[in-house]
Amino acid sequence: MERQLVSDSESEDAGGGTPPPIAIARSFRDQVAALFDLHFPRLHRVMNRLSGDTELAADLAQEAFIRLHERGSLPDHPEAWLISVAMNLFRNEYATRNRRRRLLAMVTPAVGEGPADPERRRRVQGVLEGLPERDRQLLVLNAEGYRYRDLAEALGLNEASVGVFLARARRAFRAAYGESVDASG
Amino acid sequence: MHLDSDHIQRLIDGELAPAEARDARVHVGVCAPCRRLADAAAEDAQAVSGWLTALDDPAPAIRFETIATRAAARRARWTRNAVGWVAAAVIATVAIAAPGSPVRNWMGSAVLRVTGAPRPSAVPAPEPETDGAGIAVDPGPSFVIEIRSHAAGGALVVRWTDDDQVAVRTSRAGAAFTSRRERLTVALERDSVVLEIAIPRSAPRVEIRSGERMLWLGQEGRAAAPAAPGPDGTYRIGIDAP
């Protein structure tokens, strides 16, 4: 079943309670545009956290929205669909990216400019990359406020298992982060 | 009764239904072990969320129009490609199906080059003629087959048979048969006609003549011919126009 977004007027009480709320279907383009405004920054943040590469994250998030636009209709759960597409794109990109990074590391010296706290960033990135893929994805998506239902759909999990998986992943992250801090003195 | 781990996670993630969440909060308020678990889980969640912000970069300023434009461009490119493929398929179909088109030969040659199979002759082999004719007659006590040749290069192939009748046939057009009592006349009208003649072993006497010349004589299974039979037992006799 395809989902149709409705305009904001749908949720407004028409008053008197007599006429039912009228769903005013917007054009598909408008629906995608609304989703883009709502979810692009969030999707970019998720992909940026997972990839550690803001340009790649922007490309992945854009590509997910382009594919949604090309699809011509909205899926049942657009947020989960977008995550799923972006994750798959990232998975395909991951091997290439690692290969490229190894090559660049051989020829390019590290530059000083970076985020405000590069040491903390490096540590968080290292801890995150040390976790299993499913844990990484769960943590990042959950931290962005995605619902269990969307996590389950996007990652192919049973929704009833999401809470337990998340608890384990958080504990694992905390433990690894603590070890990382201890190791650095 | 304590809350299980999944219940606690759902509580701190706001995934419980309102009534369930209310009950869970009441329970956590009075149950120290569950409160400790819930506090620890909330602390984990908060810590992880906080640490992850270290990875954040500002989102690029991308407008939706960029997305729409790129999607439209990709769709247009796809459409162009699809149109191109369809046009190519139509042209190829016409080129192959058109009468006298050399494309089929080219394709055949290309396939043969790839597969290494022998190339067929450019000139098709002549179709075997199927308009031959024949006749079978009872030889009686004495029978004469008279060959009247008006062409060159004809030949007889004579053999014995266990049948009761004399059978004469040709595999291609060019022979006319006239049968009378104790005599069969075969007129050869075309060059290189080969007559196959089967003579019953039981026939008392069968003579094959061309004008005044006796070509072959058979009497009760014994033959007199200008040459010995071949390995297959047949007598091959040339006929020339008089």
Short mmCIF file of all heavy atoms in Angstrom, two decimals, chain A residues 29 32-33 36 40 44-45 48-49 54 58 62-63 66 69-70 120-121 124-125 147-148 159-160 163 166-167 170-171 173-174 177, chain B residues 6 9-10 12-15 43-45 48-60 62-64 67-68 70-71 74:
data_model
loop_
_atom_site.label_atom_id
_atom_site.label_comp_id
_atom_site.label_asym_id
_atom_site.label_seq_id
_atom_site.Cartn_x
_atom_site.Cartn_y
_atom_site.Cartn_z
N ARG A 29 5.56 15.56 -5.94
CA ARG A 29 6.76 16.40 -5.80
C ARG A 29 6.72 17.16 -4.47
O ARG A 29 7.73 17.25 -3.76
CB ARG A 29 6.82 17.38 -6.98
CG ARG A 29 8.10 18.18 -7.07
CD ARG A 29 8.04 19.12 -8.24
NE ARG A 29 9.32 19.76 -8.51
CZ ARG A 29 9.82 20.77 -7.82
NH1 ARG A 29 9.14 21.26 -6.82
NH2 ARG A 29 10.99 21.28 -8.12
N VAL A 32 7.51 14.82 -1.59
CA VAL A 32 8.94 14.52 -1.46
C VAL A 32 9.68 15.75 -0.94
O VAL A 32 10.59 15.63 -0.12
CB VAL A 32 9.52 14.06 -2.82
CG1 VAL A 32 11.02 13.79 -2.69
CG2 VAL A 32 8.82 12.81 -3.31
N ALA A 33 9.24 16.89 -1.41
CA ALA A 33 9.89 18.12 -0.93
C ALA A 33 9.70 18.27 0.58
O ALA A 33 10.64 18.66 1.31
CB ALA A 33 9.31 19.33 -1.66
N PHE A 36 11.94 15.92 2.28
CA PHE A 36 13.33 16.38 2.17
C PHE A 36 13.63 17.42 3.26
O PHE A 36 14.64 17.33 3.95
CB PHE A 36 13.55 16.97 0.78
CG PHE A 36 14.95 17.46 0.56
CD1 PHE A 36 15.96 16.58 0.20
CD2 PHE A 36 15.27 18.80 0.71
CE1 PHE A 36 17.25 17.02 0.00
CE2 PHE A 36 16.56 19.25 0.51
CZ PHE A 36 17.54 18.36 0.15
N PHE A 40 16.20 15.41 5.42
CA PHE A 40 17.53 15.43 4.82
C PHE A 40 18.64 15.70 5.84
O PHE A 40 19.64 14.98 5.89
CB PHE A 40 17.62 16.45 3.67
CG PHE A 40 18.98 16.52 3.07
CD1 PHE A 40 19.41 15.54 2.17
CD2 PHE A 40 19.89 17.52 3.41
CE1 PHE A 40 20.68 15.57 1.63
CE2 PHE A 40 21.16 17.55 2.88
CZ PHE A 40 21.56 16.58 1.98
N HIS A 44 21.49 13.02 6.60
CA HIS A 44 22.89 13.39 6.40
C HIS A 44 23.69 13.14 7.67
O HIS A 44 24.80 12.60 7.63
CB HIS A 44 23.01 14.87 6.00
CG HIS A 44 24.43 15.35 6.04
ND1 HIS A 44 24.98 15.99 7.13
CD2 HIS A 44 25.43 15.25 5.13
CE1 HIS A 44 26.25 16.27 6.89
NE2 HIS A 44 26.55 15.84 5.68
N ARG A 45 23.12 13.48 8.82
CA ARG A 45 23.84 13.31 10.08
C ARG A 45 24.10 11.82 10.34
O ARG A 45 25.20 11.44 10.75
CB ARG A 45 23.00 13.92 11.22
CG ARG A 45 23.82 14.20 12.46
CD ARG A 45 23.20 15.30 13.33
NE ARG A 45 21.76 15.22 13.45
CZ ARG A 45 20.92 16.18 13.02
NH1 ARG A 45 21.38 17.26 12.45
NH2 ARG A 45 19.62 16.04 13.18
N ASN A 48 26.71 10.68 7.99
CA ASN A 48 28.00 11.29 8.35
C ASN A 48 28.61 10.58 9.55
O ASN A 48 29.82 10.32 9.59
CB ASN A 48 27.77 12.77 8.65
CG ASN A 48 29.07 13.51 8.87
OD1 ASN A 48 30.08 13.19 8.23
ND2 ASN A 48 29.08 14.48 9.77
N ARG A 49 27.77 10.24 10.51
CA ARG A 49 28.29 9.54 11.68
C ARG A 49 28.80 8.15 11.30
O ARG A 49 29.80 7.68 11.84
CB ARG A 49 27.20 9.41 12.75
CG ARG A 49 26.90 10.73 13.43
CD ARG A 49 25.78 10.59 14.44
NE ARG A 49 25.55 11.85 15.15
CZ ARG A 49 24.65 11.99 16.11
NH1 ARG A 49 23.88 10.98 16.47
NH2 ARG A 49 24.51 13.14 16.73
N THR A 54 31.67 13.80 5.53
CA THR A 54 30.47 14.62 5.35
C THR A 54 30.06 14.75 3.88
O THR A 54 28.87 14.80 3.57
CB THR A 54 30.67 16.02 5.98
OG1 THR A 54 29.47 16.76 5.85
CG2 THR A 54 31.80 16.78 5.31
N ALA A 58 26.57 13.52 2.37
CA ALA A 58 25.67 14.37 1.58
C ALA A 58 25.28 13.68 0.28
O ALA A 58 24.12 13.71 -0.13
CB ALA A 58 26.35 15.71 1.30
N GLN A 62 21.50 12.60 -0.57
CA GLN A 62 20.89 13.13 -1.80
C GLN A 62 20.43 12.01 -2.72
O GLN A 62 19.33 12.05 -3.28
CB GLN A 62 21.91 13.99 -2.56
CG GLN A 62 22.09 15.37 -2.01
CD GLN A 62 22.96 16.19 -2.95
OE1 GLN A 62 22.48 16.74 -3.92
NE2 GLN A 62 24.24 16.26 -2.66
N GLU A 63 21.29 11.03 -2.87
CA GLU A 63 20.95 9.92 -3.77
C GLU A 63 19.70 9.20 -3.29
O GLU A 63 18.86 8.79 -4.10
CB GLU A 63 22.14 8.95 -3.85
CG GLU A 63 21.92 7.77 -4.79
CD GLU A 63 21.73 8.18 -6.24
OE1 GLU A 63 22.24 9.24 -6.63
OE2 GLU A 63 21.04 7.44 -6.97
N ILE A 66 16.86 11.30 -4.35
CA ILE A 66 16.67 11.24 -5.81
C ILE A 66 15.95 9.94 -6.18
O ILE A 66 15.02 9.92 -6.99
CB ILE A 66 18.03 11.33 -6.53
CG1 ILE A 66 18.59 12.74 -6.41
CG2 ILE A 66 17.89 10.95 -8.01
CD1 ILE A 66 20.03 12.88 -6.89
N HIS A 69 12.41 10.20 -5.39
CA HIS A 69 11.75 11.01 -6.41
C HIS A 69 11.51 10.19 -7.68
O HIS A 69 10.43 10.23 -8.27
CB HIS A 69 12.61 12.23 -6.72
CG HIS A 69 11.86 13.36 -7.35
ND1 HIS A 69 11.42 13.32 -8.65
CD2 HIS A 69 11.45 14.56 -6.85
CE1 HIS A 69 10.79 14.45 -8.92
NE2 HIS A 69 10.79 15.22 -7.85
N GLU A 70 12.51 9.42 -8.06
CA GLU A 70 12.37 8.60 -9.27
C GLU A 70 11.31 7.51 -9.09
O GLU A 70 10.72 7.06 -10.06
CB GLU A 70 13.70 7.92 -9.59
CG GLU A 70 14.75 8.86 -10.14
CD GLU A 70 16.04 8.12 -10.43
OE1 GLU A 70 16.42 7.24 -9.65
OE2 GLU A 70 16.67 8.43 -11.44
N ARG A 120 38.63 13.66 20.32
CA ARG A 120 37.39 13.00 20.75
C ARG A 120 36.69 12.38 19.53
O ARG A 120 36.18 11.27 19.59
CB ARG A 120 36.49 14.00 21.43
CG ARG A 120 35.25 13.37 22.02
CD ARG A 120 34.49 14.37 22.85
NE ARG A 120 33.25 13.79 23.32
CZ ARG A 120 32.10 14.46 23.39
NH1 ARG A 120 32.05 15.72 23.01
NH2 ARG A 120 31.02 13.88 23.83
N ARG A 121 36.71 13.12 18.48
CA ARG A 121 36.07 12.60 17.27
C ARG A 121 36.74 11.31 16.80
O ARG A 121 36.09 10.34 16.44
CB ARG A 121 36.15 13.66 16.16
CG ARG A 121 35.50 13.18 14.86
CD ARG A 121 35.51 14.26 13.81
NE ARG A 121 34.77 13.81 12.63
CZ ARG A 121 33.95 14.55 11.95
NH1 ARG A 121 33.71 15.79 12.31
NH2 ARG A 121 33.34 14.07 10.90
N VAL A 124 35.73 8.49 19.15
CA VAL A 124 34.34 8.03 18.95
C VAL A 124 34.24 7.26 17.63
O VAL A 124 33.62 6.19 17.55
CB VAL A 124 33.36 9.23 18.94
CG1 VAL A 124 31.96 8.78 18.54
CG2 VAL A 124 33.34 9.89 20.31
N GLN A 125 34.91 7.81 16.62
CA GLN A 125 34.86 7.12 15.32
C GLN A 125 35.49 5.73 15.42
O GLN A 125 34.96 4.75 14.89
CB GLN A 125 35.63 7.96 14.28
CG GLN A 125 35.41 7.50 12.84
CD GLN A 125 34.06 7.95 12.32
OE1 GLN A 125 33.75 9.13 12.37
NE2 GLN A 125 33.26 7.01 11.83
N ARG A 147 12.29 5.77 15.16
CA ARG A 147 11.47 4.86 15.94
C ARG A 147 11.93 3.41 15.74
O ARG A 147 12.54 3.08 14.73
CB ARG A 147 9.99 4.97 15.54
CG ARG A 147 9.45 6.37 15.46
CD ARG A 147 9.39 7.03 16.81
NE ARG A 147 8.54 6.26 17.74
CZ ARG A 147 8.30 6.62 18.99
NH1 ARG A 147 8.87 7.70 19.48
NH2 ARG A 147 7.52 5.89 19.77
N TYR A 148 11.59 2.57 16.71
CA TYR A 148 11.94 1.15 16.61
C TYR A 148 11.39 0.54 15.31
O TYR A 148 12.04 -0.28 14.68
CB TYR A 148 11.38 0.38 17.80
CG TYR A 148 12.16 0.52 19.09
CD1 TYR A 148 13.10 1.53 19.27
CD2 TYR A 148 11.95 -0.38 20.14
CE1 TYR A 148 13.80 1.66 20.46
CE2 TYR A 148 12.66 -0.27 21.34
CZ TYR A 148 13.58 0.76 21.49
OH TYR A 148 14.27 0.87 22.67
N GLU A 159 10.97 -6.09 15.14
CA GLU A 159 10.81 -4.90 15.99
C GLU A 159 10.89 -5.26 17.48
O GLU A 159 11.39 -4.47 18.29
CB GLU A 159 9.47 -4.21 15.68
CG GLU A 159 9.34 -2.87 16.37
CD GLU A 159 8.01 -2.18 16.08
OE1 GLU A 159 7.36 -2.54 15.09
OE2 GLU A 159 7.64 -1.29 16.87
N ALA A 160 10.43 -6.46 17.82
CA ALA A 160 10.44 -6.86 19.24
C ALA A 160 11.88 -7.04 19.75
O ALA A 160 12.10 -7.07 20.97
CB ALA A 160 9.66 -8.16 19.41
N GLY A 163 14.83 -3.31 21.06
CA GLY A 163 15.20 -2.79 22.37
C GLY A 163 16.38 -3.53 22.97
O GLY A 163 17.33 -2.92 23.48
N LEU A 166 19.56 -2.81 21.09
CA LEU A 166 20.03 -1.46 21.39
C LEU A 166 20.75 -1.42 22.73
O LEU A 166 21.81 -0.79 22.87
CB LEU A 166 18.84 -0.51 21.43
CG LEU A 166 18.64 0.41 20.24
CD1 LEU A 166 17.36 1.21 20.41
CD2 LEU A 166 19.82 1.34 20.04
N ALA A 167 20.15 -2.09 23.73
CA ALA A 167 20.76 -2.09 25.06
C ALA A 167 22.16 -2.69 25.00
O ALA A 167 23.12 -2.15 25.58
CB ALA A 167 19.87 -2.89 26.02
N ARG A 170 24.58 -0.26 23.20
CA ARG A 170 24.97 0.89 24.04
C ARG A 170 26.01 0.47 25.08
O ARG A 170 27.00 1.18 25.31
CB ARG A 170 23.74 1.45 24.75
CG ARG A 170 22.85 2.28 23.84
CD ARG A 170 21.53 2.57 24.53
NE ARG A 170 20.67 3.41 23.72
CZ ARG A 170 19.35 3.42 23.82
NH1 ARG A 170 18.73 2.61 24.66
NH2 ARG A 170 18.63 4.22 23.06
N ARG A 171 25.75 -0.68 25.70
CA ARG A 171 26.72 -1.14 26.71
C ARG A 171 28.08 -1.40 26.06
O ARG A 171 29.12 -1.04 26.60
CB ARG A 171 26.19 -2.41 27.39
CG ARG A 171 25.14 -2.13 28.45
CD ARG A 171 24.95 -3.32 29.39
NE ARG A 171 24.45 -4.49 28.69
CZ ARG A 171 23.15 -4.75 28.52
NH1 ARG A 171 22.24 -3.91 28.99
NH2 ARG A 171 22.77 -5.83 27.89
N PHE A 173 29.26 -0.03 23.38
CA PHE A 173 29.89 1.24 23.01
C PHE A 173 30.53 1.90 24.22
O PHE A 173 31.68 2.35 24.17
CB PHE A 173 28.84 2.17 22.39
CG PHE A 173 29.42 3.42 21.81
CD1 PHE A 173 29.72 3.50 20.45
CD2 PHE A 173 29.70 4.53 22.61
CE1 PHE A 173 30.25 4.65 19.91
CE2 PHE A 173 30.24 5.68 22.07
CZ PHE A 173 30.53 5.74 20.72
N ARG A 174 29.77 1.93 25.32
CA ARG A 174 30.31 2.58 26.54
C ARG A 174 31.58 1.88 27.00
O ARG A 174 32.57 2.52 27.38
CB ARG A 174 29.27 2.53 27.66
CG ARG A 174 28.19 3.57 27.53
CD ARG A 174 27.51 3.81 28.86
NE ARG A 174 28.27 4.75 29.69
CZ ARG A 174 27.84 5.22 30.84
NH1 ARG A 174 26.67 4.83 31.32
NH2 ARG A 174 28.56 6.07 31.54
N TYR A 177 34.41 2.62 24.66
CA TYR A 177 34.84 4.01 24.77
C TYR A 177 35.67 4.19 26.04
O TYR A 177 36.73 4.86 26.05
CB TYR A 177 33.62 4.93 24.81
CG TYR A 177 33.96 6.40 24.71
CD1 TYR A 177 34.18 6.99 23.48
CD2 TYR A 177 34.08 7.19 25.86
CE1 TYR A 177 34.51 8.34 23.37
CE2 TYR A 177 34.41 8.53 25.77
CZ TYR A 177 34.62 9.10 24.52
OH TYR A 177 34.96 10.43 24.42
N ASP B 6 13.90 -5.46 27.62
CA ASP B 6 13.24 -4.84 26.47
C ASP B 6 12.26 -3.77 26.93
O ASP B 6 12.17 -2.69 26.34
CB ASP B 6 12.52 -5.92 25.65
CG ASP B 6 11.81 -5.33 24.46
OD1 ASP B 6 12.50 -4.73 23.61
OD2 ASP B 6 10.56 -5.45 24.38
N GLN B 9 14.16 -0.69 27.99
CA GLN B 9 14.65 0.05 26.82
C GLN B 9 13.52 0.83 26.16
O GLN B 9 13.68 1.98 25.77
CB GLN B 9 15.27 -0.91 25.79
CG GLN B 9 16.60 -1.49 26.21
CD GLN B 9 17.64 -0.40 26.46
OE1 GLN B 9 17.70 0.59 25.73
NE2 GLN B 9 18.42 -0.55 27.52
N ARG B 10 12.39 0.19 26.02
CA ARG B 10 11.25 0.85 25.37
C ARG B 10 10.76 2.04 26.20
O ARG B 10 10.33 3.05 25.66
CB ARG B 10 10.11 -0.15 25.14
CG ARG B 10 10.41 -1.14 24.04
CD ARG B 10 9.31 -2.17 23.84
NE ARG B 10 9.66 -3.03 22.73
CZ ARG B 10 9.40 -2.75 21.45
NH1 ARG B 10 8.77 -1.63 21.16
NH2 ARG B 10 9.77 -3.56 20.49
N ILE B 12 12.64 3.97 28.17
CA ILE B 12 13.52 5.14 28.07
C ILE B 12 13.57 5.68 26.64
O ILE B 12 13.91 6.85 26.43
CB ILE B 12 14.96 4.84 28.56
CG1 ILE B 12 15.62 3.80 27.66
CG2 ILE B 12 14.97 4.38 29.99
CD1 ILE B 12 17.10 3.70 27.91
N ASP B 13 13.22 4.86 25.65
CA ASP B 13 13.20 5.33 24.26
C ASP B 13 11.83 5.84 23.86
O ASP B 13 11.62 6.19 22.68
CB ASP B 13 13.64 4.20 23.31
CG ASP B 13 15.15 4.00 23.35
OD1 ASP B 13 15.87 4.98 23.58
OD2 ASP B 13 15.61 2.86 23.15
N GLY B 14 10.88 5.83 24.78
CA GLY B 14 9.56 6.35 24.46
C GLY B 14 8.80 5.49 23.47
O GLY B 14 8.01 5.99 22.67
N GLU B 15 9.04 4.17 23.51
CA GLU B 15 8.40 3.27 22.56
C GLU B 15 7.19 2.54 23.15
O GLU B 15 6.58 1.74 22.47
CB GLU B 15 9.43 2.23 22.07
CG GLU B 15 10.50 2.79 21.16
CD GLU B 15 10.00 3.03 19.74
OE1 GLU B 15 9.00 2.41 19.34
OE2 GLU B 15 10.63 3.85 19.03
N GLU B 43 21.29 6.30 31.23
CA GLU B 43 22.63 6.89 31.23
C GLU B 43 23.42 6.42 30.00
O GLU B 43 24.11 7.23 29.35
CB GLU B 43 23.36 6.46 32.52
CG GLU B 43 24.57 7.30 32.83
CD GLU B 43 25.27 6.84 34.12
OE1 GLU B 43 24.54 6.37 35.03
OE2 GLU B 43 26.49 6.92 34.18
N ASP B 44 23.32 5.13 29.69
CA ASP B 44 23.99 4.60 28.49
C ASP B 44 23.51 5.35 27.25
O ASP B 44 24.30 5.79 26.41
CB ASP B 44 23.68 3.11 28.30
CG ASP B 44 24.45 2.23 29.28
OD1 ASP B 44 25.42 2.75 29.89
OD2 ASP B 44 24.08 1.05 29.42
N ALA B 45 22.19 5.46 27.16
CA ALA B 45 21.62 6.09 25.96
C ALA B 45 22.07 7.54 25.84
O ALA B 45 22.45 8.01 24.76
CB ALA B 45 20.09 6.00 26.01
N VAL B 48 25.90 7.71 24.96
CA VAL B 48 26.19 7.36 23.56
C VAL B 48 25.73 8.48 22.64
O VAL B 48 26.45 8.88 21.72
CB VAL B 48 25.51 6.02 23.19
CG1 VAL B 48 25.63 5.77 21.70
CG2 VAL B 48 26.14 4.88 23.98
N SER B 49 24.52 8.98 22.89
CA SER B 49 24.02 10.07 22.04
C SER B 49 24.95 11.28 22.11
O SER B 49 25.23 11.93 21.09
CB SER B 49 22.61 10.48 22.47
OG SER B 49 21.71 9.45 22.20
N GLY B 50 25.43 11.57 23.33
CA GLY B 50 26.33 12.70 23.48
C GLY B 50 27.65 12.50 22.75
O GLY B 50 28.12 13.40 22.04
N TRP B 51 28.23 11.32 22.90
CA TRP B 51 29.51 11.07 22.24
C TRP B 51 29.39 11.14 20.72
O TRP B 51 30.28 11.60 20.03
CB TRP B 51 30.06 9.70 22.64
CG TRP B 51 30.57 9.67 24.04
CD1 TRP B 51 31.16 10.70 24.71
CD2 TRP B 51 30.53 8.58 24.95
NE1 TRP B 51 31.50 10.32 25.99
CE2 TRP B 51 31.13 9.01 26.16
CE3 TRP B 51 30.04 7.28 24.88
CZ2 TRP B 51 31.25 8.18 27.28
CZ3 TRP B 51 30.17 6.45 25.98
CH2 TRP B 51 30.77 6.90 27.18
N LEU B 52 28.25 10.63 20.24
CA LEU B 52 28.08 10.59 18.77
C LEU B 52 28.05 11.99 18.16
O LEU B 52 28.37 12.16 16.98
CB LEU B 52 26.81 9.82 18.39
CG LEU B 52 26.88 8.30 18.61
CD1 LEU B 52 25.54 7.65 18.29
CD2 LEU B 52 27.96 7.67 17.73
N THR B 53 27.69 12.98 18.96
CA THR B 53 27.65 14.34 18.39
C THR B 53 29.05 14.82 17.99
O THR B 53 29.19 15.77 17.22
CB THR B 53 27.05 15.35 19.39
OG1 THR B 53 27.85 15.33 20.57
CG2 THR B 53 25.61 15.00 19.72
N ALA B 54 30.07 14.15 18.56
CA ALA B 54 31.44 14.54 18.19
C ALA B 54 31.70 14.29 16.71
O ALA B 54 32.66 14.82 16.15
CB ALA B 54 32.44 13.76 19.05
N LEU B 55 30.87 13.46 16.12
CA LEU B 55 31.10 13.10 14.71
C LEU B 55 30.37 14.04 13.75
O LEU B 55 30.52 13.92 12.53
CB LEU B 55 30.60 11.67 14.44
CG LEU B 55 31.22 10.58 15.31
CD1 LEU B 55 30.56 9.24 15.00
CD2 LEU B 55 32.71 10.50 15.06
N ASP B 56 29.58 14.93 14.30
CA ASP B 56 28.68 15.71 13.42
C ASP B 56 29.40 16.84 12.68
O ASP B 56 30.29 17.49 13.23
CB ASP B 56 27.54 16.31 14.24
CG ASP B 56 26.57 15.22 14.69
OD1 ASP B 56 26.65 14.10 14.13
OD2 ASP B 56 25.77 15.49 15.60
N ASP B 57 29.00 17.00 11.46
CA ASP B 57 29.39 18.16 10.65
C ASP B 57 28.10 18.85 10.24
O ASP B 57 27.05 18.20 10.16
CB ASP B 57 30.14 17.71 9.39
CG ASP B 57 31.47 17.07 9.73
OD1 ASP B 57 32.31 17.76 10.34
OD2 ASP B 57 31.67 15.87 9.41
N PRO B 58 28.17 20.12 9.97
CA PRO B 58 26.94 20.79 9.52
C PRO B 58 26.46 20.19 8.19
O PRO B 58 27.27 19.85 7.33
CB PRO B 58 27.36 22.26 9.34
CG PRO B 58 28.84 22.24 9.31
CD PRO B 58 29.31 21.04 10.06
N ALA B 59 25.14 20.06 8.10
CA ALA B 59 24.58 19.51 6.85
C ALA B 59 24.79 20.51 5.73
O ALA B 59 24.70 21.73 5.94
CB ALA B 59 23.09 19.25 7.04
N PRO B 60 25.12 20.04 4.54
CA PRO B 60 25.31 20.97 3.43
C PRO B 60 23.99 21.64 3.07
O PRO B 60 22.92 21.07 3.25
CB PRO B 60 25.80 20.06 2.31
CG PRO B 60 25.31 18.71 2.66
CD PRO B 60 25.27 18.65 4.16
N ILE B 62 21.67 22.13 0.79
CA ILE B 62 21.18 21.60 -0.49
C ILE B 62 19.69 21.87 -0.56
O ILE B 62 18.95 21.57 0.39
CB ILE B 62 21.47 20.09 -0.61
CG1 ILE B 62 22.98 19.87 -0.62
CG2 ILE B 62 20.83 19.52 -1.87
CD1 ILE B 62 23.39 18.44 -0.56
N ARG B 63 19.28 22.41 -1.68
CA ARG B 63 17.85 22.71 -1.85
C ARG B 63 17.16 21.56 -2.54
O ARG B 63 17.78 20.82 -3.32
CB ARG B 63 17.68 23.99 -2.68
CG ARG B 63 18.13 25.26 -1.94
CD ARG B 63 18.45 26.36 -2.93
NE ARG B 63 17.38 26.58 -3.89
CZ ARG B 63 16.31 27.36 -3.66
NH1 ARG B 63 16.22 27.99 -2.52
NH2 ARG B 63 15.39 27.52 -4.57
N PHE B 64 15.89 21.42 -2.25
CA PHE B 64 15.15 20.31 -2.85
C PHE B 64 15.15 20.39 -4.38
O PHE B 64 15.14 19.37 -5.07
CB PHE B 64 13.71 20.28 -2.33
CG PHE B 64 12.89 19.23 -3.01
CD1 PHE B 64 13.10 17.88 -2.76
CD2 PHE B 64 11.92 19.58 -3.95
CE1 PHE B 64 12.38 16.91 -3.41
CE2 PHE B 64 11.19 18.61 -4.59
CZ PHE B 64 11.41 17.27 -4.32
N ILE B 67 17.62 18.23 -5.95
CA ILE B 67 17.22 16.82 -6.00
C ILE B 67 16.27 16.60 -7.17
O ILE B 67 16.44 15.67 -7.98
CB ILE B 67 16.51 16.42 -4.68
CG1 ILE B 67 17.44 16.64 -3.50
CG2 ILE B 67 16.00 14.99 -4.74
CD1 ILE B 67 18.65 15.78 -3.47
N ALA B 68 15.27 17.47 -7.26
CA ALA B 68 14.26 17.31 -8.32
C ALA B 68 14.90 17.42 -9.70
O ALA B 68 14.58 16.66 -10.61
CB ALA B 68 13.16 18.36 -8.14
N ARG B 70 18.06 16.83 -10.53
CA ARG B 70 18.89 15.66 -10.83
C ARG B 70 18.04 14.44 -11.16
O ARG B 70 18.37 13.65 -12.04
CB ARG B 70 19.82 15.37 -9.65
CG ARG B 70 20.96 16.37 -9.55
CD ARG B 70 21.85 16.10 -8.38
NE ARG B 70 22.48 14.78 -8.43
CZ ARG B 70 23.27 14.29 -7.48
NH1 ARG B 70 23.53 15.01 -6.42
NH2 ARG B 70 23.80 13.10 -7.61
N ALA B 71 16.93 14.30 -10.42
CA ALA B 71 16.04 13.16 -10.70
C ALA B 71 15.45 13.29 -12.10
O ALA B 71 15.37 12.31 -12.86
CB ALA B 71 14.92 13.10 -9.66
N ARG B 74 18.06 12.51 -14.71
CA ARG B 74 18.33 11.07 -14.81
C ARG B 74 17.19 10.36 -15.54
O ARG B 74 17.41 9.47 -16.35
CB ARG B 74 18.48 10.50 -13.40
CG ARG B 74 19.16 9.17 -13.39
CD ARG B 74 19.34 8.66 -12.00
NE ARG B 74 20.32 9.41 -11.25
CZ ARG B 74 20.61 9.16 -9.98
NH1 ARG B 74 20.00 8.19 -9.33
NH2 ARG B 74 21.53 9.87 -9.35
#
